[in-house]
Amino acid sequence: MAGRNAIDLSPYKEIIIAKFKDGTSAESISLYLLSNHDVTVAEKTIRRRLLEWGVRRNSQICDTPLLRERISVLFHTCCLPDQDILHILQQEGHDINECSLTRIRRKMGLLRRIDSRNVEKSEKAVEDIVQKELDKGEVEGHSRVRNRGHIARDRLSPMVRKRDLEGVAQPLNDLQRLRGEYIIPGPNYLWSINGYRKLQPWGIEVYAAIDAYSRYIVWIYVGVSTCTAVNILQQYIHAVDSLQIVPQMVRAARTDEGAEAPPIAFAQHRFTQKHRPDASLNDCFRYGTRVTNQRITAWWSQLSRSSLSRWQDYFEELSTVGTYNDSRIADKIAMLAVYMPILRKDIHGFSQLWNVHSIRRQANRPNSVSGKPVILFNWPPEGVGNYGVKPDPELITQFKQDTTQWDIEEYLPSTTMNWCTDQLKQLGAPKGIVSSSARYPDGSQVHPKIYLQLRDRIKTHMEMDESPKLELLEKSTGAWNWDGDELGHGDEIEILDL
């Protein structure tokens, strides 16, 4: 019986060898030949021919603890597929290929598939995670749940749809909104900054910056309203310093013109002038309306629907029934002591998940950018430029010295904070921090009761004039001590309309 005719791979020999040495697997080479050259060949055949041709990989990949730590972060924290992990590692200078990445990941126990013998147990674990998130009143997207374990979207989605009908319907309702084209050429061309004002009645301020191209959250601040201008400036300087990037343009909401924005405008102008001495303030900083500031405005909408709206409703209920009154210091202190850590955890957690979630392509918007914000910001596609420039180190040092007298993480004076922490521990809060999901045996939530108990203890302590004296942070003054003429107070800053 005559054997099958051997496949002639000689016309593709150079392609096969080049891809193999570049780290492409035999399976991927087989798929490439089929899709690009209409050649059907088994991966075993490709391996055999490579042996016949005497082809070996050039070098052994160096498996180091540093490489493993980076793989673990990109796998667990960012929930990235191997293709994206490989791209990032190579961009960072690691000498690694596709096969080596898969081999090292498996050795680390980072598996993407479920053992068939444990399917039932795994499904039950996923159901419990989804239900626990729903019990808290939210499911902040698939990434939040997937971070509890590497859960495939096609397994997770049906469970969420089954248990959260209202939440699944919300995105469909959002499709009724129509927006025009919003075209930004690349990362760090424009940072859009703005504040979330709806929690201000309870002394809580939220402020953020988003890269308009990638939708990457550059920084976010959750603190008290008494010193926002100082803290926002520090956040801007910290972002510029840690990223070593100054954006080409910063745009702030028109409502921030007399508050938080001027110090950032001054700093942005100074950094820009180090590269473009003749640059005017309008060349690097603009005010925008709510419509033109749509990137950050749209993100506030996402954050509000995810978690903040329920907290706002709850705080409004406290005010309505009289258990919170902004004229009573005891109420204000208890509010910050109990709820600031909760809100910081929720908001920062949502921001981290947002930066690694996938933005889908939109068929009706051909110029829209798709992908993961963290990748689009740090490793933009080929042909897309990064518009940021390096900051001047002397300026960074100067700005840090001018703002170090304020602790951006502080929301209560240290003596007041320490006293409240001790009281919260006595009330049953581990480490003095109340969990938003904690419940009593009867199913009722813990945080409302602890807030009332702490408020009453603060009130009694103050009425008896006991030590230490409990108080709020004083309003900061002298947020920046630079010459107003340098900032351009006498100049009219244009409203940017993109």
Side-chain angles (χ1 to χ4, degrees):
M1 181 177 177
R4 290 179 297 176
N5 294 328
I7 299 175
D8 183 12
L9 294 179
S10 55
Y12 316 104
K13 180 177 179 179
E14 292 185 3
I15 296 175
I16 294 172
I17 292 175
K19 285 190 169 294
F20 181 72
K21 287 189 174 182
D22 193 38
T24 307
S25 65
E27 180 182 7
S28 297
I29 294 174
S30 174
L31 293 173
Y32 172 83
L33 292 174
L34 178 62
S35 60
N36 291 274
H37 300 282
D38 199 25
V39 174
T40 303
V41 57
E43 54 188 277
K44 288 184 178 180
T45 303
I46 292 175
R47 293 195 190 97
R48 187 169 63 251
R49 294 297 173 85
L50 288 168
L51 289 174
E52 292 174 1
W53 295 334
V55 178
R56 299 288 187 276
R57 298 204 189 272
N58 293 330
S59 60
Q60 196 72 19
I61 302 300
C62 185
D63 183 358
T64 64
L66 180 62
L67 176 62
R68 289 192 170 217
E69 180 182 357
R70 193 69 180 124
I71 292 173
S72 179
V73 169
L74 295 173
F75 181 89
H76 282 301
T77 306
C78 299
C79 292
L80 297 180
D82 281 4
Q83 181 181 1
D84 289 339
I85 294 176
L86 179 64
H87 174 70
I88 291 173
L89 292 175
Q90 290 175 342
Q91 289 287 317
E92 293 177 346
H94 293 281
D95 182 16
I96 190 170
N97 55 45
E98 182 183 357
C99 293
S100 298
L101 171 60
T102 303
R103 174 174 51 81
I104 294 172
R105 174 174 59 75
R106 288 174 177 170
K107 281 185 177 180
M108 295 170 63
L110 307 180
L111 306 178
R112 298 192 183 277
R113 296 182 180 179
I114 305 171
D115 189 328
S116 59
R117 295 168 294 183
N118 298 323
V119 170
E120 185 176 345
K121 180 180 179 181
S122 175
E123 294 292 331
K124 180 62 169 60
V126 174
E127 289 180 2
D128 291 344
I129 292 173
V130 170
Q131 191 58 54
K132 185 175 293 186
E133 293 292 313
L134 290 173
D135 288 342
K136 293 194 300 184
E138 61 189 70
V139 175
E140 296 180 358
H142 290 81
S143 297
R144 178 184 177 96
V145 182
R146 292 174 73 195
N147 276 355
R148 304 286 189 87
H150 209 90
I151 306 167
R153 184 180 292 271
D154 59 356
R155 293 177 56 226
L156 179 58
S157 295
M159 296 181 187
V160 176
R161 285 197 297 268
K162 181 179 178 181
R163 290 166 173 77
D164 189 20
L165 298 177
E166 182 180 348
V168 171
Q170 181 65 48
L172 298 178
N173 297 331
D174 292 342
L175 293 178
Q176 305 301 320
R177 295 179 295 128
L178 297 176
R179 294 196 189 103
E181 288 277 42
Y182 190 91
I183 302 173
I184 298 293
N188 299 305
Y189 179 84
L190 173 67
W191 286 4
S192 182
I193 64 175
N194 195 5
Y196 185 86
R197 313 292 180 187
K198 296 182 179 180
L199 299 181
Q200 278 186 334
W202 300 278
I204 298 168
E205 186 86 27
V206 187
Y207 211 85
I210 189 170
D211 177 67
Y213 168 79
S214 62
R215 283 86 98 199
Y216 179 82
I217 301 302
V218 180
W219 88 77
I220 188 161
Y221 163 74
V222 185
V224 290
S225 303
T226 55
C227 51
T228 306
V230 180
N231 293 346
I232 298 310
L233 176 61
Q234 284 186 319
Q235 289 289 316
Y236 169 81
I237 298 301
H238 176 74
V240 168
D241 186 26
S242 60
L243 296 171
Q244 284 297 294
I245 287 175
V246 176
Q248 186 170 127
M249 176 73 69
V250 170
R251 178 170 61 195
R254 191 70 179 176
T255 54
D256 296 333
E257 183 176 1
E260 297 89 359
I264 293 182
F266 174 78
Q268 171 72 8
H269 191 207
R270 289 289 301 276
F271 280 124
T272 302
Q273 285 184 320
K274 288 294 181 178
H275 293 270
R276 294 181 286 155
D278 297 333
S280 68
L281 183 59
N282 280 319
D283 291 332
C284 61
F285 183 90
R286 303 281 183 92
Y287 286 113
T289 62
R290 178 180 175 85
V291 174
T292 58
N293 225 23
Q294 64 176 260
R295 278 286 187 259
I296 190 67
T297 301
W299 190 76
W300 287 135
S301 221
Q302 296 280 350
L303 178 62
S304 179
R305 286 198 302 271
S306 171
S307 62
L308 288 191
S309 61
R310 71 188 180 94
W311 286 114
Q312 182 184 347
D313 292 342
Y314 168 67
F315 294 155
E316 286 178 347
E317 183 182 351
L318 291 181
S319 299
T320 301
V321 300
T323 50
Y324 177 86
N325 189 318
D326 62 5
S327 65
R328 296 194 294 253
I329 294 180
D331 294 18
K332 287 181 159 184
I333 293 175
M335 170 65 66
L336 295 176
V338 173
Y339 292 108
M340 183 65 79
I342 292 175
L343 289 171
R344 282 183 169 178
K345 181 179 178 181
D346 280 3
I347 294 171
H348 290 152
F350 179 82
S351 303
Q352 292 169 358
L353 293 173
W354 172 270
N355 282 340
V356 300
H357 92 292
S358 294
I359 300 171
R360 298 181 182 180
R361 293 185 181 275
Q362 301 181 54
N364 60 333
R365 293 179 186 165
N367 295 310
S368 65
V369 178
S370 60
K372 294 180 184 293
V374 65
I375 294 179
L376 293 170
F377 182 79
N378 292 288
W379 305 277
E382 187 176 349
V384 176
N386 189 325
Y387 289 81
V389 295
K390 286 278 186 181
D392 181 78
E394 292 183 1
L395 269 181
I396 288 179
T397 301
Q398 175 189 338
F399 284 123
K400 284 184 174 180
Q401 289 174 348
D402 289 339
T403 57
T404 50
Q405 56 185 304
W406 295 282
D407 181 359
I408 64 175
E409 298 300 324
E410 189 177 43
Y411 51 91
L412 285 171
S414 58
T415 52
T416 302
M417 189 72 249
N418 292 336
W419 186 89
C420 288
T421 300
D422 290 339
Q423 299 301 312
L424 288 170
K425 288 178 181 178
Q426 295 175 22
L427 292 170
K431 300 181 180 179
I433 297 176
V434 182
S435 171
S436 62
S437 59
R439 293 180 180 271
Y440 290 112
D442 63 1
S444 61
Q445 291 184 307
V446 170
H447 67 82
K449 185 175 181 179
I450 286 189
Y451 161 73
L452 295 175
Q453 291 174 331
L454 179 62
R455 185 197 64 163
D456 291 342
R457 290 192 178 195
I458 295 171
K459 182 180 178 182
T460 301
H461 181 91
M462 295 178 70
E463 288 175 348
M464 297 180 67
D465 199 23
E466 294 183 349
S467 182
K469 182 180 179 181
L470 303 182
E471 54 190 355
L472 297 165
L473 284 176
E474 293 183 2
K475 185 174 180 62
S476 59
T477 58
W480 45 288
N481 299 312
W482 307 296
D483 186 355
D485 293 335
E486 287 188 84
L487 177 61
H489 281 171
D491 299 333
E492 180 68 24
I493 303 177
E494 297 177 8
I495 295 181
L496 183 63
D497 189 10
L498 288 178

